[in-house]
Amino acid sequence: MPSLFNKKIDSLKGIGLKSVGLYNKLKIQTVGDLLCFYPRTYEDWSNPVKITDLKAGEISVIKAKLSGPVIENKIPGGMLISKARVFDDSGFIVITFFNNKFIKTMLHENVDYFFYGKVTQNLGHFEMINPMFSAKENEVGIRPIYNQTAGLNSRQIAKAMKEALLLLPLTINEPLPDWILEKYKLCPLSYAIENIHFPRDFEALKLAKERLIFEELLTLSLGLSQLKDKNREETSLQMTTDFSEEFIKLLPFELTEAQSDAINDCINDMMNRKTPMNRLIQGDVGSGKTVVAAAACYSAVKNGWQAAFMAPTEILANQHFQSLSKILIGSGVKIELLTGSVPAKQKKQIKELLKNGEIDFIIGTHALLSDGVEFQNLGLVVTDEQHRFGVAQRAALLSKGNNPHLMVMSATPIPRTLGLIIYGDLDISVINELPPNRKEIETYLVDSSKRTRIFNFMKKHIAAGKQCYIVCPLIEESDIDAASAAVYFEELINNDFKGYNVGLLHGKCKPKEKDEVMNRFQSGEIDVLVTTTVIEVGVDVKNAVIMLIENAERYGLSQLHQLRGRIGRGDEKSYCILISDMQNEETTERLKILCSTSNGFKIADEDLRLRGPGDFFGSRQHGLPQMKIADITDMKSVLTAKEAAEDILEVSKDLSNDEFRGIRALISKLFSGVGDNAFN
Ligand code: ADP
Ligand code: MG
């Protein structure tokens, strides 16, 4: 229904210029956006109960008449209370309104009203406080409740929705082919849209939901399959010799068995498959994923290819560059670093060298995705901390080579259903052991009255040559975050840590400052690093043994686990101290999980259970487009959609058949906000 969908919202009756701005706040620009703005929940006005059947504490609807006029009373303090008795053929209750001078003129005797509200018990009789009411029979079905914004409430949105539905042409374009609707017993789109907003009954609502969830997950699944498909064609890049042993000899330590297995998996993929390697290396923080990637890159380079290793932050890219450069000294591998903060002149030079094949191994950030970056012979792409990248970004880097091999690394244990979608076609190697001699990190939960004691504990360790992290109070907006870190830092150097070497590192530091601070911390010059979640991924300083995290309750468990992963990296005992003044039991229970386990998968499960799927990734990008109605952790629906996606791909692998035109449009719409334009 392209024409209707693209009509501007103010073409609807009753929506003027002023409300356009409010609708835009809800990300609604067009009539189509409005129709896809689904209710948050519903109120059931469809089943009035008899007054005698009311139960205190329940939300109910009754159909009743006033037994007399509304009585108004002003109580000391000025509050206006309006009361009326209402009755049906089974009994009466009192309805009470606070501070609403219109009630008296709105409610009349001898009229049947529907009252909707929570029933309370007061001095032996039932009462409804501030119930909603309506006299209109046709308004009392199942009512939609929309997310609202200041100046625009759910009722107004519902009114606009009714207008929009009037415009919905009788026969709108159905994006799904008939045979899919039939096979999966789905209602048509027009029926679904009408009934998701104003359901005829609960059965209709269920059908509508099912259909829309199906469509959204199907679109997601097909969209991802199209992205992945780019990496499924045959590759000419067959590795002839395995050089990983040669790399391993350069390491100052023995690999764990899990690391060796993972390396073998990768080499095997690159030597023996017709299609490119497509592998996820999943291992908890500190399990040593970097050397696994490096071994694969080394072997790729020695086979005459170029390798690219992309990390989500400059700090991390720098660190990988430095540690791998050290290992690779004298190996003949030409390694370079490309991040946003590399000076323009140098960037230009690096790009040239990459293009004519004089750099073998490039480590970098998103900068690797930028336009001028070309390779002569890109054979292997690695992305570190995969959850930080969008699927589209992964695809963008791949497209810089001719069907190169792909390896993605992640420390975030994701729930199985999510993995099925995000990593659906990836082979997985799990690194399920930590390097030997790691001491368990001791984690404690305390309140801020203990802060001074903890500072003293830190000083004792600093005196013994150790280093510490302090993760600052988290404030949502990154700007304020930086400010709060700066304030905290000032406070610290003027008081508790006067005379110590304290460093400050946050997201708003200039790249050069970041480098400098990280280098000073790495070299042991800085005793205490005051920081924010920028430190969350990958940073590896073995001598840091204490991490103090302020207002720990503001983080998700998985995120805290990642943060904590910055310590306990050497063979010294490490301590993580969570400070929280939140007294409620739920918070304490949640944080105590961290004190009792260091198993990332277990923590992720708990996180998902306690916070729900929506919050699982926090504000971080997981690379998937935002769902409007589906829940990507809803296993059953995901599997159904996946099955349907397979049906469709069997008919047309690239969806080029005309019957899939509607689906193609859905895909580009859904993915339009994700990363770069992987579908153009
Ligand atoms: P992550 O899996 O979190 O990315 P890293 O690759 O950063 O972990 O490795 C963590 C630390 O452990 C690094 O300092 C690395 O050099 C070291 N390391 C990796 N493998 C081993 C090993 N087999 N034995 C000892 N230390 C190791
Ligand atoms: Mg890492």
Side-chain angles (χ1 to χ4, degrees):
M1 353 163 225
S3 59
L4 172 65
F5 260 79
N6 297 331
K7 250 190 153 130
K8 286 267 172 286
I9 185 90
D10 58 357
S11 64
L12 290 176
K13 215 171 79 193
I15 296 189
L17 226 70
K18 217 178 105 203
S19 22
V20 168
L22 297 173
Y23 278 98
N24 290 351
K25 261 197 198 158
L26 297 171
K27 300 204 172 77
I28 299 170
Q29 321 265 357
T30 65
V31 176
D33 294 340
L34 181 66
L35 288 170
C36 293
F37 189 74
Y38 305 135
R40 173 172 57 82
T41 179
Y42 300 85
E43 279 172 1
D44 180 13
W45 288 60
S46 62
N47 275 315
V49 293
K50 292 278 174 214
I51 287 177
T52 42
D53 294 336
L54 288 177
K55 289 196 185 72
E58 285 185 356
I59 290 175
S60 303
V61 58
I62 55 169
K63 188 176 180 184
K65 284 190 173 73
L66 271 64
S67 65
V70 174
I71 309 289
E72 289 188 338
N73 252 314
K74 256 214 159 94
I75 58 167
M79 189 190 283
L80 175 71
I81 300 185
S82 319
K83 272 185 190 293
R85 273 165 63 107
V86 303
F87 67 96
D88 65 9
D89 57 18
S90 73
F92 83 93
I93 72 165
V94 175
I95 51 167
T96 304
F97 296 87
F98 294 115
N99 277 338
N100 189 339
K101 58 184 182 203
F102 302 110
I103 291 296
K104 206 175 161 75
T105 52
M106 284 157 73
L107 286 177
H108 308 283
E109 290 168 66
N110 298 320
V111 180
D112 269 319
Y113 291 100
F114 295 88
F115 294 98
Y116 180 99
K118 190 164 174 177
V119 179
T120 52
Q121 199 153 21
N122 188 8
L123 303 172
H125 63 260
F126 283 139
E127 185 169 356
M128 275 188 184
I129 312 248
N130 291 331
M132 288 182 288
F133 56 88
S134 168
K136 294 186 190 143
E137 288 281 345
N138 65 353
E139 270 189 13
V140 295
I142 303 166
R143 289 194 183 183
I145 305 297
Y146 298 97
N147 279 332
Q148 32 194 33
T149 180
L152 184 62
N153 66 30
S154 173
R155 271 178 178 238
Q156 291 165 303
I157 296 171
K159 210 169 145 225
M161 201 65 77
K162 285 206 165 135
E163 289 296 322
L165 285 171
L166 286 179
L167 288 180
L168 200 71
L170 273 180
T171 47
I172 55 174
N173 289 335
E174 171 61 61
L176 303 183
D178 282 347
W179 57 272
I180 286 285
L181 294 182
E182 235 161 76
K183 173 162 181 196
Y184 292 93
K185 301 194 174 56
L186 301 166
C187 68
L189 182 59
S190 53
Y191 181 92
I193 290 187
E194 268 167 35
N195 282 284
I196 198 73
H197 293 295
F198 301 101
R200 243 167 254 178
D201 49 41
F202 280 100
E203 186 55 28
L205 178 59
K206 187 167 159 261
L207 279 175
K209 266 192 188 158
E210 268 171 17
R211 149 78 205 223
L212 295 170
I213 289 171
F214 177 94
E215 183 179 298
E216 196 165 41
L217 291 173
L218 176 70
T219 306
L220 179 69
S221 189
L222 285 172
L224 291 170
S225 80
Q226 296 301 290
L227 282 176
K228 286 167 183 168
D229 236 28
K230 295 188 175 170
N231 200 35
R232 277 214 196 104
E233 290 149 27
E234 291 202 359
T235 182
S236 52
L237 295 162
Q238 236 90 47
M239 191 173 267
T240 45
T241 320
D242 171 11
F243 287 93
S244 63
E245 276 304 317
E246 200 175 292
F247 173 80
I248 292 165
K249 287 207 189 91
L250 302 171
L251 294 173
F253 45 72
E254 299 259 308
L255 290 183
T256 63
E257 208 172 303
Q259 283 173 315
S260 305
D261 289 349
I263 293 172
N264 288 338
D265 288 344
C266 297
I267 298 291
N268 188 36
D269 284 352
M270 290 189 282
M271 289 178 92
N272 301 323
R273 282 170 46 139
K274 289 215 167 49
T275 55
M277 165 163 77
N278 220 1
R279 184 169 288 278
L280 168 70
I281 308 291
Q282 190 163 49
D284 212 343
V285 276
S287 60
K289 295 182 288 294
T290 317
V291 291
V292 172
C297 290
Y298 183 89
S299 204
V301 166
K302 291 287 169 178
N303 275 270
W305 311 333
Q306 288 170 299
F309 188 150
M310 183 162 74
T313 64
E314 294 215 354
I315 295 174
L316 201 51
N318 260 313
Q319 177 187 289
H320 286 332
F321 175 66
Q322 281 174 15
S323 64
L324 293 179
S325 300
K326 237 183 264 162
I327 295 172
L328 293 173
I329 278 177
S331 69
V333 174
K334 274 163 280 158
I335 180 169
E336 255 305 341
L337 176 71
L338 184 65
T339 64
S341 63
V342 168
K345 212 174 128 192
Q346 206 178 328
K347 243 185 225 161
K348 198 168 157 239
Q349 196 184 4
I350 291 176
K351 284 178 185 173
E352 246 155 57
L353 293 175
L354 267 180
K355 194 173 169 182
N356 58 32
E358 285 175 62
I359 293 173
D360 303 314
F361 188 9
I362 186 89
I363 294 178
T365 55
H366 296 79
L368 291 176
L369 302 176
S370 51
D371 271 348
V373 178
E374 289 169 43
F375 292 82
Q376 191 192 49
N377 184 22
L378 180 61
L380 172 60
V381 164
V382 180
T383 61
D384 194 12
E385 305 296 343
Q386 169 59 33
H387 64 285
R388 288 293 196 96
F389 293 106
V391 267
Q393 287 167 321
R394 203 207 289 167
L397 189 53
L398 284 176
S399 71
K400 293 194 180 282
N402 182 17
N403 241 342
H405 297 284
L406 172 73
M407 176 172 177
V408 304
M409 299 196 289
S410 181
T412 311
I414 54 168
R416 215 173 88 76
T417 39
L418 275 181
L420 203 64
I421 304 182
I422 310 181
Y423 302 132
D425 70 332
L426 295 180
D427 302 308
I428 299 183
S429 301
V430 177
I431 306 186
N432 57 3
E433 59 181 325
L434 296 181
N437 301 327
R438 287 279 167 80
K439 296 259 180 0
E440 185 105 339
I441 302 169
E442 272 183 37
T443 302
Y444 297 97
L445 173 63
V446 301
D447 62 41
S448 56
S449 69
K450 304 270 176 7
R451 192 179 283 111
T452 312
R453 271 179 61 185
I454 295 161
F455 284 165
N456 288 334
F457 183 68
M458 288 162 79
K459 286 175 192 169
K460 224 174 75 192
H461 281 79
I462 292 168
K466 298 293 161 205
Q467 292 164 283
C468 312
Y469 293 101
I470 297 182
V471 180
C472 276
L474 175 78
I475 299 173
E476 271 307 323
E477 281 167 45
S478 55
D479 280 7
I480 314 175
D481 222 21
S484 108
V487 170
Y488 193 102
F489 171 77
E490 286 297 322
E491 177 74 28
L492 221 55
I493 55 172
N494 289 320
N495 297 297
D496 286 288
F497 282 88
K498 207 170 178 163
Y500 284 80
N501 268 320
V502 184
L504 173 65
L505 184 74
H506 55 68
K508 292 278 151 170
C509 288
K510 298 221 170 62
K512 236 176 123 183
E513 285 172 69
K514 273 188 201 160
D515 275 1
E516 194 202 300
V517 171
M518 264 332 283
N519 285 338
R520 285 170 51 217
F521 192 59
Q522 196 97 44
S523 72
E525 187 192 324
I526 290 175
D527 304 318
V528 181
L529 186 62
V530 174
T531 184
T532 63
T533 50
V534 292
I535 211 72
E536 176 189 343
V537 290
V539 169
D540 185 41
V541 177
K542 289 194 177 57
N543 196 45
V545 295
I546 300 178
M547 174 175 281
L548 181 164
I549 304 177
E550 293 280 357
N551 56 31
E553 74 281 354
R554 301 215 181 145
Y555 302 88
L557 291 183
S558 295
Q559 197 174 14
L560 287 169
H561 181 61
Q562 290 285 327
L563 277 168
R564 171 172 73 174
R566 300 311 108 222
I567 55 171
R569 301 200 140 232
D571 37 27
E572 298 282 334
K573 187 160 193 68
S574 295
Y575 304 87
C576 174
I577 293 131
L578 309 171
I579 298 193
S580 173
D581 288 329
M582 289 275 280
Q583 298 289 345
N584 79 56
E585 215 169 290
E586 212 177 297
T587 308
T588 319
E589 186 207 355
R590 203 163 68 84
L591 293 175
K592 284 231 164 107
I593 293 168
L594 276 179
C595 305
S596 66
T597 180
S598 57
N599 180 327
F601 284 90
K602 211 163 142 190
I603 290 168
D605 279 351
E606 285 295 317
D607 215 9
L608 187 67
R609 186 176 67 80
L610 293 169
R611 301 210 307 168
D615 272 339
F616 184 73
F617 288 98
S619 53
R620 272 178 308 174
Q621 180 188 26
H622 51 61
L624 292 180
Q626 186 72 39
M627 296 285 101
K628 279 188 190 305
I629 190 166
D631 170 1
I632 44 180
T633 62
D634 162 8
M635 185 79 164
K636 196 163 157 253
S637 305
V638 167
L639 287 175
T640 311
K642 252 190 103 79
E643 188 193 320
E646 276 154 27
D647 292 345
I648 287 174
L649 291 171
E650 214 160 280
V651 176
S652 172
K653 205 164 170 328
D654 58 359
L655 304 178
S656 62
N657 282 17
D658 203 45
E659 62 172 330
F660 303 134
R661 197 169 19 135
I663 293 181
R664 288 200 304 269
L666 287 176
I667 292 175
S668 28
K669 187 155 192 282
L670 184 67
F671 282 79
S672 61
V674 180
D676 65 299
N677 44 1
F679 284 99
N680 296 340

